[in-house]
Amino acid sequence: MIRKPLLAGAVALACVVGSLPAHADITFSGASIANASVKFTGTGDTIQFIDAPGAAPTRDIGVSLASDPLLIGLLGNIDGLWTIGAVTSPGGGVQVAPVLGTGVFSLDDGAGGTFSGMLTWDEVSTFGTSVSLNFQGLANLTGITYDGALASLNAIESVGEATVTVSAQFARARTLTNLTANNSTFSTSYSYSVAAVPEPSTWAMLGVGLVALGFGLNRSTRTGRRLG
């Protein structure tokens, strides 16, 4: 039998979760389009996303998966030049380095509207044949603007920030030491993902629900002890 305090806490949590803003679930992802790539240049230790040759206007990414089907098929661009900082080796064949600089992530909505924001990378890491940017999934797309009518993109703009991650595979194992070696140049295709960042009020609401549930569990336990 579920005691009333526990039931009340569970109901409170369910109500909070049910009222969470829809933008917390907005995601879209895809990959570089044909002949577009991410380029690592050892001389200068830079990272740059290269547009597909001949694409007009410039494009290097496409959306293939999305929580909103209206986003699938849209094209966009990652533009900027970032610098790889000091490389460290925490162990297990992993190498990590901070990334400096700011670029732009943009997506065209196909109806004249543009979604864009300032893009930074917290760090770059390598392991085996894989290289990842923002592996920890920190909010790194800020100052978001959108002048179109797609509800999901308007929702992300209303929050003002999102998380962008990028991953890529080389044909053979590459370390950050390899990627930053003088006179070296490595390019490969890549995949990316974008996720809306819940507003602080969202976490506060969820916290209220969890507190209510915990209070219910505590009272239920104490009641059970008295009855026992």
Side-chain angles (χ1 to χ4, degrees):
M1 178 179 178
I2 301 178
R3 294 185 172 86
K4 290 182 179 179
L6 178 58
L7 179 60
V11 169
L13 179 60
C15 290
V16 170
V17 172
S19 64
L20 293 181
H23 59 64
D25 298 323
I26 298 174
T27 62
F28 60 91
S29 60
S32 53
I33 63 176
N35 300 317
S37 62
V38 57
K39 179 181 179 181
F40 296 83
T41 304
T43 302
D45 302 339
T46 61
I47 303 171
Q48 187 174 15
F49 293 84
I50 307 300
D51 300 325
T58 56
R59 296 286 184 272
D60 54 26
I61 58 172
V63 179
S64 56
L65 294 173
S67 55
D68 178 0
L70 295 177
L71 301 182
I72 296 175
L74 299 185
L75 298 175
N77 197 50
I78 300 177
D79 188 38
L81 186 68
W82 295 268
T83 302
I84 300 172
V87 177
T88 59
S89 302
V94 175
Q95 286 196 322
V96 181
V99 178
L100 307 175
T102 302
V104 176
F105 178 98
S106 62
L107 193 69
D108 292 334
D109 68 5
T114 301
F115 171 92
S116 67
M118 295 183 295
L119 181 63
T120 59
W121 304 109
D122 176 61
E123 63 182 24
V124 58
S125 61
T126 55
F127 176 71
T129 60
S130 301
V131 59
S132 301
L133 286 160
N134 196 29
F135 178 77
Q136 298 185 64
L138 303 179
N140 61 336
L141 185 65
T142 58
I144 296 173
T145 61
Y146 177 52
D147 56 2
L150 289 179
S152 56
L153 297 183
N154 276 315
I156 299 177
E157 182 198 22
S158 71
V159 180
E161 59 181 12
T163 295
V164 181
T165 60
V166 163
S167 61
Q169 295 282 136
F170 290 105
R172 53 178 292 189
R174 301 291 183 191
T175 65
L176 284 175
T177 300
N178 298 144
L179 300 182
T180 56
N182 283 337
N183 301 315
S184 66
T185 300
F186 298 95
S187 297
T188 185
S189 57
Y190 59 92
S191 59
Y192 75 94
S193 65
V194 177
V197 175
E199 295 175 291
S201 59
T202 296
W203 296 115
M205 290 169 64
L206 185 57
V208 169
L210 290 172
V211 168
L213 180 59
F215 178 73
L217 285 169
N218 183 54
R219 287 198 58 187
S220 177
T221 300
R222 288 164 53 192
T223 301
R225 287 174 180 172
R226 287 199 299 270
L227 292 176

